Structure formats: C-alpha cells, structure tokens
Amino acid sequence: MVGTPADADAGGVPALGPRQLGVYFALMEAVSLLQHQVEQQLRAEGDLSYVQFQLLARLASAGGDLTMTQLADGVVYSRSGLTYQAGLLEKAELITRRPSPDDERSTLVAITEAGLALVGRVLPGHVEVTRGLLFDSLSDDDLDHLGAIMTRVRDHMRAQPPRSAVPRKRKPSG
Amino acid sequence: MVGTPADADAGGVPALGPRQLGVYFALMEAVSLLQHQVEQQLRAEGDLSYVQFQLLARLASAGGDLTMTQLADGVVYSRSGLTYQAGLLEKAELITRRPSPDDERSTLVAITEAGLALVGRVLPGHVEVTRGLLFDSLSDDDLDHLGAIMTRVRDHMRAQPPRSAVPRKRKPSG
DNA sequence: TATTGTTATACTCTATAACTATA
DNA sequence: TATAGTTATAGAGTATAACAATA
C-alpha cells in the first residue's frame, strides 16, 4: 500500500484516500494476475494473444462483418496496431478482409469457419481458468455486485473524452 | 458478449455461464481502459511505465530494501524482465542495487530520494485519473464491496499454484 | 544441487508519421 | 478537408536459455 495513514506525508507520498488506493491496487493486481494466466491458456491452447482472442470474440458475437474501426474500438489504441493484428489473423485464415461496397475507404472484416472453430475450441479452457481464479472466490451476491459495478464503470469510461487526462508535461528524472 | 443464451451452441460457441462471461468481459475491458489512461498519465508526468511505477511504489511502501525476487513478486513474470526494468530505473537514479551482506547471491534494491520524489510527484495525477474514471462511478457501498471482493480474489490468486492452468498443447491454425 | 541474478538474443507488440484513396 | 486504412520504422518490453556465483 502506498498511502496508508501511517506513512502519509512521509517520504513525499501525499495523503490521498488510502482506502481507495487499496481498492485500486487490489483491483489492478488481481486483474493483472488473471490476465497473465488467461494469456498462458490462450497461447497454449490456441496460439493466440489476448488481443487476438478479443478481436475474434468480437467478430464471433457480431451478427455480421465489422469495419476495422468498429473492430478496434476499445481493444486496440492505434490503427496501425489493428492493421498489424488483422494481418496476422488473416494470414492464419481466421478472418477475411474485403473492401466495403458502401464506403470504399472502409474494410469489412469477417471471421472464418476456422476462426469460429478456434474460438469454440479455446473458450472452454478460458472459462475454466477464469472460474478457477475469479468466480470460485465469488458468491452469487458478489457476482451481481461486481457485474453491476464494472458494467457501470466500463460504460462511464467509454463515454469519457479519450484524452482528457493528459495534462501538462513535466519532464522528470532523465 | 460471446455466450448469451440466444447464440449458445451456434457457431461453435458453447453454452457456458453467460452471466459470468458478461461480468468477466466488463471487468477486463474496464481495467484495460483504466490501465491505458493511467499509463498515459504516468508517461506524461513521470516518464514511467506502469510496471516501473509499480516497482517504485512497492519500494516506497516497503520499510527498507527488497531483494530482486521480493520486488518481482506479482509485478513481473520473468527474472530477466525485472533485471531489465531495474537496469532502467538504476540508470535513471531512481533506485540503487547492492549485493546483500546476508546472502551474497541476492541483490538488495532500494529507492533513492529522487525515486521517492518522483513517486510523490506522479501520485496525485495518478489518483486524479483513477478518481475520474473509477471512483466517481462508485458509491461508498460499491467501494466497500469492490474492495472486499478484489482483495479476496487477489489473495486467492496469489495462493494459486502458478502454472496449474496450462494443460496439454493442441497446435491450432498456422 | 538448488537458488539468485545477469546476459545474450530473438521475438512480439505498439505507436508515430507519412502515405494512398475515398467521401 | 476529413476519414479509413496501410506501410515503414523505430522503440519498448518480454521470455527463454545459457551462464556465473553463492548456499
């Protein structure tokens, strides 16, 4: 913990909602551990990164095709990054890309049969890992609460102006 | 959502606790968005990655020195990765490394005055970002619940045998 | 022999900027 | 002019394996 009451204002660490900081660090560490395990599973069973899995899952759940921009939303933070990942997935024949007839600037991305099959093959193990690490520790009530909280938080974050929180730059050490 | 009741068993996606999947995806996306914003802030105000911030924060809150192994725990998943990061932090004079007198295999890592100052300089903005994105959406009750849940989950994950969930390898597509 | 940490190396991923083409 | 996407490129980060030194 960084800002417990005891050491607040000692060593330059300001006194700032230690309870919230504790929650924040617990959240980040738990998700970090979960994500690491989940990545191991995806790599082992499907040779996929988590980002690639997210892209495939998004395409699998979308009714039809998605444009690159739609596909990127919330998963990848630069267009070139998505182009790179889409290139890999296309080379592995898990997705296809074709120009949109409506707007010829756009690229329509679709998941292939092989892509769907891979998602289907990987998902059980994926759920198994999350169950063992996350859901086994949660009561039904916890699950409801966590779901309500994180859905609200996620929607709030999505609605946020993307770069509102990058203030003036104060160059530090080097 | 990948496994809602409607499309379960359609397209190869098995029917597996859709409610849990929803909670899981909301959690992962929310934290991903939060982490991305937080990384922007740390980079802008302190020229730090999140991993580097974690390492400094851990050293700042530890009473005294930590060994490399202690420092790595939960933050970095390979020893060479920590050596790399420690090298950067040392070069920036934010930490020091020296051989342990007790066990001469070990390296003792300590945070410098500059390191403490940097943490102190970066933390307010960090808290500000998390407040805007996370805590503003949470009631006091939510905060209690989330804290209780994530602390329990984190401790459960920490106690887990690290590599229990990496079953047999089925090579997939490429 | 086991453990702590470093080094060498290869690889994955991301981001910025320049570019093309369409709206 | 603005938007969608790609390409080139550079940089950060990670992991594996081989290694040295100590327990």
Side-chain angles (χ1 to χ4, degrees):
Chain A
M1 207 85 31
V2 172
T4 56
D7 65 356
D9 284 326
V13 177
L16 284 156
R19 180 155 135 273
Q20 299 182 339
L21 265 185
V23 174
Y24 165 64
F25 283 124
L27 172 68
M28 297 299 266
E29 184 180 344
V31 170
S32 167
L33 289 167
L34 176 57
Q35 189 154 6
H36 187 254
Q37 292 304 318
V38 142
E39 269 163 8
Q40 301 283 113
Q41 181 266 329
L42 288 173
R43 185 62 67 188
E45 296 189 9
D47 201 24
L48 289 174
S49 71
Y50 187 67
V51 166
Q52 289 159 2
F53 170 73
Q54 283 183 98
L55 295 174
L56 290 181
R58 188 169 286 214
L59 284 168
S61 65
D65 305 347
L66 294 178
T67 66
M68 293 291 278
T69 299
Q70 290 169 334
L71 186 55
D73 175 52
V75 177
V76 155
Y77 300 94
S78 72
R79 280 173 306 175
S80 64
L82 179 57
T83 297
Y84 171 75
Q85 292 295 343
L88 293 182
L89 293 174
E90 189 176 46
K91 197 168 62 181
E93 302 190 351
L94 301 171
I95 66 169
T96 60
R97 279 186 289 184
R98 64 196 166 85
S100 165
D102 300 334
D103 183 340
E104 294 202 3
R105 292 173 303 182
S106 299
T107 297
L108 291 182
V109 185
I111 191 166
T112 64
E113 284 301 318
L116 278 174
L118 181 56
V119 171
R121 196 156 75 249
V122 150
L123 198 50
H126 196 84
V127 171
E128 215 172 290
V129 170
T130 63
R131 176 148 45 217
L133 288 176
L134 181 64
F135 299 123
D136 276 2
S137 309
L138 302 184
S139 69
D140 266 22
D141 200 55
D142 289 336
L143 189 65
D144 285 343
H145 259 274
L146 186 61
I149 290 174
M150 296 320 293
T151 303
R152 176 153 28 93
V153 166
R154 180 196 58 190
D155 293 345
H156 173 245
M157 287 179 182
R158 278 182 177 164
Q160 215 59 356
R163 298 288 141 100
S164 65
V166 187
R168 59 219 162 287
K169 172 154 187 162
R170 264 173 283 166
K171 247 288 176 151
S173 52
Chain B
M1 213 78 35
V2 172
T4 55
D7 64 357
D9 284 325
V13 177
L16 284 156
R19 178 155 136 273
Q20 298 182 339
L21 266 184
V23 174
Y24 166 65
F25 283 126
L27 173 68
M28 296 300 267
E29 183 181 344
V31 170
S32 167
L33 289 167
L34 176 58
Q35 188 154 6
H36 188 254
Q37 292 304 318
V38 143
E39 269 163 7
Q40 301 284 112
Q41 182 266 328
L42 288 173
R43 185 62 69 187
E45 296 190 9
D47 200 25
L48 289 174
S49 70
Y50 187 67
V51 166
Q52 289 158 4
F53 170 73
Q54 282 182 100
L55 295 174
L56 290 181
R58 186 169 287 214
L59 283 168
S61 66
D65 306 347
L66 294 178
T67 66
M68 294 290 279
T69 299
Q70 290 170 334
L71 186 54
D73 174 51
V75 176
V76 155
Y77 301 94
S78 72
R79 280 173 306 176
S80 64
L82 179 57
T83 297
Y84 172 76
Q85 292 296 343
L88 293 181
L89 293 174
E90 190 176 46
K91 198 167 61 181
E93 301 188 354
L94 301 172
I95 67 169
T96 60
R97 279 186 290 184
R98 63 196 168 84
S100 164
D102 300 334
D103 182 339
E104 294 201 2
R105 294 172 303 183
S106 299
T107 297
L108 291 182
V109 185
I111 191 166
T112 63
E113 283 301 318
L116 278 175
L118 180 56
V119 171
R121 195 154 77 249
V122 150
L123 199 50
H126 196 84
V127 171
E128 215 173 290
V129 169
T130 62
R131 178 148 44 218
L133 287 176
L134 182 64
F135 299 124
D136 277 1
S137 309
L138 302 183
S139 68
D140 266 22
D141 199 53
D142 288 337
L143 190 65
D144 285 342
H145 259 275
L146 186 61
I149 289 174
M150 295 320 293
T151 303
R152 177 154 25 96
V153 166
R154 181 197 56 190
D155 293 345
H156 173 244
M157 286 179 182
R158 278 182 178 166
Q160 214 62 354
R163 299 288 141 100
S164 65
V166 187
R168 60 219 162 286
K169 172 152 188 164
R170 263 172 285 166
K171 248 285 177 156
S173 52

